[in-house]
Amino acid sequence: MSIGKSIKRVDAFDKVTGRALYTDDMKLNNALIAKILHSTIANGRVKGIDITEALKLKGVVKIVTCFDVPDIKFPTAGHPYSLDPEHGDVADRKLLNERVRYYGDDIAAVVAKDSITAEKALKLIKVECEEYEPLLSIGDALKKTSVPIHEEYPDNILAHTSYEIGNFNEAIKEEGLKVFEGEFEISPVKHCHIENPISYAYAEGQKIVVVSSTQIPHIVRRIIGQALGLEWGKIRVIKPYIGGGFGNKQDALYEPLTAYLSQIVGGRCVKLDLSREEDFVNTRLRTAMKIKLKSYVRSNGRFVARELELYGNKGAYASHGHSVVSKAGHAIKQVYNDELATKGDIYSVFTNLPPSGAMRGYGIPQITFALESHVEDIARKLNLDSIEMRKLNAMPLGFVDNKIQCYSNGLFECIEKGKEYIEWDKKIKEYANQRGPIRKGVGMSMFSYATGVYPISLESAACRIVLNQDGSVQVQMGATEIGQGADTVFTQMVAEILDISTENVHIISAQDTDITPFDTGAYASRQSYVSGMAAKKAALEIKEKILDHGSFMIKIPKDNMDLRDNSIVIKETGEILVSLKEVALHALYNTEKSVHITAEATNQCKTNSFAFGVCFVDIEVDIPLGKIKVNKVINVHDCGKLLNPELAEAQVHGGMSMGLGFGLSEQILFNEKTGKMYNDNLLDYKLPTIMDTPPLEAQFVETYDITGPFGNKALGEPPAIPVAPAIRNAVLHATGVGFNMSPLTPQRLVEKFKEYNLI
Amino acid sequence: MSIGKSIKRVDAFDKVTGRALYTDDMKLNNALIAKILHSTIANGRVKGIDITEALKLKGVVKIVTCFDVPDIKFPTAGHPYSLDPEHGDVADRKLLNERVRYYGDDIAAVVAKDSITAEKALKLIKVECEEYEPLLSIGDALKKTSVPIHEEYPDNILAHTSYEIGNFNEAIKEEGLKVFEGEFEISPVKHCHIENPISYAYAEGQKIVVVSSTQIPHIVRRIIGQALGLEWGKIRVIKPYIGGGFGNKQDALYEPLTAYLSQIVGGRCVKLDLSREEDFVNTRLRTAMKIKLKSYVRSNGRFVARELELYGNKGAYASHGHSVVSKAGHAIKQVYNDELATKGDIYSVFTNLPPSGAMRGYGIPQITFALESHVEDIARKLNLDSIEMRKLNAMPLGFVDNKIQCYSNGLFECIEKGKEYIEWDKKIKEYANQRGPIRKGVGMSMFSYATGVYPISLESAACRIVLNQDGSVQVQMGATEIGQGADTVFTQMVAEILDISTENVHIISAQDTDITPFDTGAYASRQSYVSGMAAKKAALEIKEKILDHGSFMIKIPKDNMDLRDNSIVIKETGEILVSLKEVALHALYNTEKSVHITAEATNQCKTNSFAFGVCFVDIEVDIPLGKIKVNKVINVHDCGKLLNPELAEAQVHGGMSMGLGFGLSEQILFNEKTGKMYNDNLLDYKLPTIMDTPPLEAQFVETYDITGPFGNKALGEPPAIPVAPAIRNAVLHATGVGFNMSPLTPQRLVEKFKEYNLI
């Protein structure tokens, strides 16, 4: 049995030794190099571009400007295509944009024989622009302006949706309700994957081949088709190993441009490798949000009704559209539910900042920061135990929201484990009534997180398995390994079903849309749940075919046989009849009935399930320095059945590290006048290093979710969600000061502590 | 309809523009370079190798000698694996050989950072050998010697088989039979593909990946496994476009060594690119043969009985074993059959020459040269019209030999077309009784050729088809494009069944054993026949799935629908119901029943069929110069239904060119004492150039073979068969001198003409 075992990552050796092939390792010899010219204004229009001098530079092969590219607007979001045009993604940008919408927008591109020549050429291009007032905040964008960022959205509002569950106005009439309001502001942060976005493209027959560091090869293929006006079958996207994505590579970033640049140089290989600075400015950010919560609460802490007003800052382009903000807006009624009514108003607003898109958690880290701060504040004001108040309102087993049902719920046990590790009850007392410059506190937060995108979007995945002559199998998944360990758990799943050793499962890590079964890709923590079921189905199918051939070979009825430990055995007794290797050799090479044993299965997933988790922290705050030191931190997760405990632990460690950065130090900063990003690099942007990281404790509460292929549910994104609000609540515990913004940087702490006369 | 149309080669544009990727275009950056040290004796044993000085050279990464390699003997033949050990290929060589068996045998290998360093290192290696007398001819090899070439074969005979059909001794008692004997000697020739054998290998996870210019990726994978003692599932072989093979790349040549060299340098990428000289000496030759025919003939020309004694010169290693020689030995009873009896004695003999293996025609060009010369000589002596004599003895429709039945036979019509083009009857008279130094003649020859290897070996092939969102399909064949146009006809086959445009069929040209359906590869003219049937089956299967989904989508019974012109139509009326593109989009993206439409099918072929053809030539012989000028030459073929007439014509042109070289100028020469090859390069080896090539006329007689997927049968190898004997017979016609050896070089002609007092 393989499920539940901590087998080594199947890619561990290759990644550690440097053997693993990434996009840049694979590019063709003599690839041309492309570089992009970015705008140096945040809002305006290109009036003219003079490329005369640049073209004279030796080694420049081609220069293309926003005036040359196809007049096609295309969407970039990594969402499944929808047959319903109303449900489609917003097509709001061209390959290069004459209408400049943020500082750094793409206005021209150079293709040259090498990188230095391309850089030099960029400097020789002269651009003339008409400039408009940059709209750099949600507030500015919502003011009436004469020039909207996108003419289709005159109010700069991409979308405004609202919902009301129950009768809100009736509900709040209940006598004795206390009313609490909170306003929160979440800063934009950056994914900071190790490998910058990179792609190269070349022509092959009728096709354009694009090799790219992406989470979503099949979707990128479709988007290139849309952007270039090509039939999708004429595009081939290959995804090698990638150095992280975290949602940033869940957009088609520059693949359409790379494909286009190859097209205009006659199909030669063109490589476009973003710099770190470009990755910061020109890809996607986590959506900054302004969140207002108003809660009507009984004195025992029970939510009767809550009201949400949520504004997401989309930046200059729609990217994932309203989805991230909408998901955040709906989440408040899941982890907690109201006795009578909940209502929300949700806005996605365009501004002249770099576009925001998907990032690990997809809106939930932001809303959880607000919601868990808000709950903590209320409990404090009501003088309640905040954990008890949470439990009073928390999602019960069997809960249903928007067709998603809670089939398994380990949340309360997660809380108990967290409390125990952090010595909650003891510390709550111990840290009461502190004085002095350094004060300690404990804090916690919790969340629920849906697994996959059903019922909002299509959930479809496929897997193909091929039996080798030695009894091993190849597994081809449409789902993508992006560092999370997907290949390893798919390997375990197939080994489990066939009862063969995991060494005998060879997973094909790279996806190639020409040959790889279809899958929408790595996002929404969906792969082990949705794609894993495809792996299970394909494995069950090939198992039947193996037993069919075994029955033909050794003339024993199939129903009396089973697979066990790399052999066909007598089902009842386990006695070995024939090894899988012998069956495999016989299947291909017998001259009576030669057959190539393979299986392929599609899984359309029409379920979803809630995963849960908590974070507990024990911190100390140096008040004069405004510095928070995390002494202990634990995440406890209910992700259903653990497929691979060590991998799961590693997944949680990574998420906790992201959560620490999100809560403490990471924040994208812009020049308030020009909209130019200040800290577009890993020196100025404060990602936590190992020196900033306390020991990370990850624990689990195993449940079994009947909707998952092996009882499993989401774990990809959840670990990044609860850390920041737990820290914020611990600071409140330590100092009595509640911060309503992330991150809790020293500057912000010092300012606020002064305001509270703590300094 | 696509079958029968001369669509452009699907790879034409990429090959003409240089876009097509061959092995060397794809190697990894920083690949190490391997070079082989070859022996400078033809027979002996390595006693010691001193690599001390070579290892000191900067940039040398590793040197490995025959004393270091695994003690595993492996076979190299590109035959399907057999479950019957008796039917297996001969395993007679190691990766590097301590026992040296030909001048050039592989005794050590250097891996270095670049080519020049590797070459330098080779020169610094000191080798000490024990030398035995080289056995360079069949005669020498058959004499008793104290040291056999392979100790398992003390008489140097790899195999000796014999057959007798009918009662030979009884048959020859018939009164009035004339007896004719002929002895023929066929020189070895070389394939001369444009791209030399090249491969590179690197480690990936548990696997060794080998990219190679091969005709047989799935077989090469198995042989690497055997040679290295690895499970086959741990080997991945990728075959990109290749620059020709002609049977030479139907052996595992150096792929096992390349894989091993990568293994011993820790999985780094190692490339082994043979020089042209190595391709000549160290790969394979067409099997040289000595052929004795003795025929018992009635005065009307009818064969009553024939007797064959055939010796094939295997060279130093078995390679394809007895197969080539055996196939030649059995062919004499197919194209012609005897009234009463046929018998044959067939020997494959080891010598200390470079190994012979498969080459286009697989023994049939050699036996056809002998047989057609013999027939011509007999007719001449009996004063019969040689064509009428051939027709009297030729294979009739319904004929069966060794389970191969003649289901279609256009041979007689081929003869008529050939006669007409060459103006046979007129020229026969016109060229009678010539005098003077330059004399003209006409000659012809004919042949039959089986399609594929059934029933000798397994015939198994598979195909996978994937429906794209635009209604186009991807086709993955295990069968390999090796320049012959296989990809183009598979494209047509799939387009034909689905009734879509060939532009909407995207064939994946490269094979990758990890993901490509199984197929034994390109040889035996089998692909359009055996693998084509797999393409047809897979297309029929995906058609059913498309109609299934169409029926689900538009709620019309499947049986009332059909595919036509890229749409689903009403079967009876042809009225368009929905385009294939709409069905494809709906299948993937509808949220009710999302399905990834793909199909995969194995074809095990248990039939075979005879293809036929003739060659007619009109030549002039300059007797004092010994020079033959071909004025007109035509091949006429019955290959069943023509899949793509222009491609078929090109196939025939290529074969005719090979036939001209085989008949006139190509001959591998060895030093008679040392066994060193004299003309191991394209300057000294006389391949015909365009200056030597007359206009090539190719015509066809279309038949419909019920066993072929579209009525088609072999055309890959046949064109190379009949040209040489037709020329030989024309020389006989022109000069009265019958040459019993190929090729007919000026030197040989002059010597013989002197003997006949013509000079």
Side-chain angles (χ1 to χ4, degrees), chain A residues 150-371:
Chain A
H150 293 271
E151 58 186 13
E152 299 84 349
Y153 302 93
D155 299 326
N156 293 322
I157 296 174
L158 167 64
H160 168 210
T161 55
S162 53
Y163 64 84
E164 180 172 343
I165 312 288
N167 186 326
F168 187 83
N169 287 334
E170 282 303 310
I172 61 173
K173 287 179 184 163
E174 182 176 314
E175 262 187 46
L177 291 181
K178 313 267 180 182
V179 184
F180 300 93
E181 286 189 73
E183 280 197 38
F184 304 89
E185 189 160 345
I186 312 296
S187 297
V189 301
K190 191 61 196 139
H191 314 76
C192 299
H193 31 70
I194 293 177
E195 184 194 30
N196 286 325
I198 175 173
S199 56
Y200 65 86
Y202 58 94
E204 181 184 79
Q206 297 186 62
K207 301 214 179 205
I208 296 183
V209 184
V210 181
V211 181
S212 174
S213 177
T214 178
Q215 302 173 218
I216 46 165
H218 273 100
I219 292 177
V220 165
R221 176 199 202 191
R222 181 252 299 170
I223 293 173
I224 293 171
Q226 292 174 315
L228 273 58
L230 286 177
E231 292 291 352
W232 307 355
K234 295 203 171 141
I235 297 142
R236 177 179 171 200
V237 175
I238 295 170
K239 175 225 157 266
Y241 277 123
I242 87 171
F246 305 116
N248 198 33
K249 296 173 187 168
Q250 194 202 340
D251 264 63
L253 297 170
Y254 283 102
E255 294 92 345
L257 182 61
T258 310
Y260 173 73
L261 294 176
S262 170
Q263 245 189 353
I264 61 167
V265 297
R268 291 178 66 183
C269 184
V270 175
K271 182 178 85 158
L272 178 55
D273 188 0
L274 295 201
S275 65
R276 181 60 69 183
E277 289 74 9
E278 287 179 303
D279 173 54
F280 266 80
V281 175
N282 302 112
T283 64
R284 302 291 176 267
L285 299 173
R286 178 179 275 168
T287 312
M289 293 186 188
K290 280 183 181 292
I291 303 165
K292 289 186 198 175
L293 284 162
K294 191 169 179 183
S295 298
Y296 298 78
V297 190
R298 291 186 188 136
S299 52
N300 67 348
R302 181 69 181 110
F303 288 136
V304 171
R306 280 176 299 154
E307 189 179 3
L308 166 75
E309 197 179 309
L310 172 56
Y311 294 86
N313 187 337
K314 293 304 309 166
Y317 294 100
S319 174
H320 278 239
H322 195 43
S323 308
V324 174
V325 191
S326 174
K327 186 174 167 82
H330 283 264
I332 66 155
K333 58 186 160 67
Q334 291 170 348
V335 62
Y336 301 116
N337 45 89
D338 295 279
E339 181 83 17
L340 295 176
T342 320
K343 84 182 224 192
D345 266 296
I346 308 163
Y347 299 84
S348 287
V349 182
F350 285 118
T351 60
N352 291 122
L353 290 177
S356 63
M359 182 173 165
R360 198 174 187 177
Y362 212 78
I364 306 303
Q366 298 97 307
I367 196 70
T368 300
F369 185 92
L371 185 56

Side-chain angles (χ1 to χ4, degrees), chain A residues 14 205 207 474 592 594 606, chain B residues 14 205 207 474 592 606:
Chain A
D14 280 7
K207 301 214 179 205
Q474 251 95 245
E592 192 181 347
S594 166
K606 292 185 182 181
Chain B
D14 280 8
K207 301 215 179 203
Q474 252 94 247
E592 191 182 348
K606 292 186 182 180

Side-chain angles (χ1 to χ4, degrees), chain A residues 84 125 164 169 341 355 393 420 455 470 537 562 604 701 735:
Chain A
D84 174 8
I125 297 175
E164 180 172 343
N169 287 334
N393 291 290
E420 190 183 330
D470 58 0
K537 283 183 177 179
D562 202 354
Q604 183 183 4
V701 170
T735 65

Side-chain angles (χ1 to χ4, degrees), chain A residues 280 665 667 669 678-687:
Chain A
F280 266 80
S665 58
Q667 183 184 15
L669 299 167
Y678 277 132
N679 51 350
D680 60 356
N681 59 74
L682 292 173
L683 191 63
D684 296 320
Y685 180 80
K686 297 299 177 192
L687 199 68

Side-chain angles (χ1 to χ4, degrees), chain B residues 635-650:
Chain B
N635 267 24
V636 190
H637 289 271
D638 162 20
C639 57
K641 169 79 183 164
L642 283 179
L643 301 169
N644 181 320
E646 280 185 11
L647 262 188
E649 189 184 14

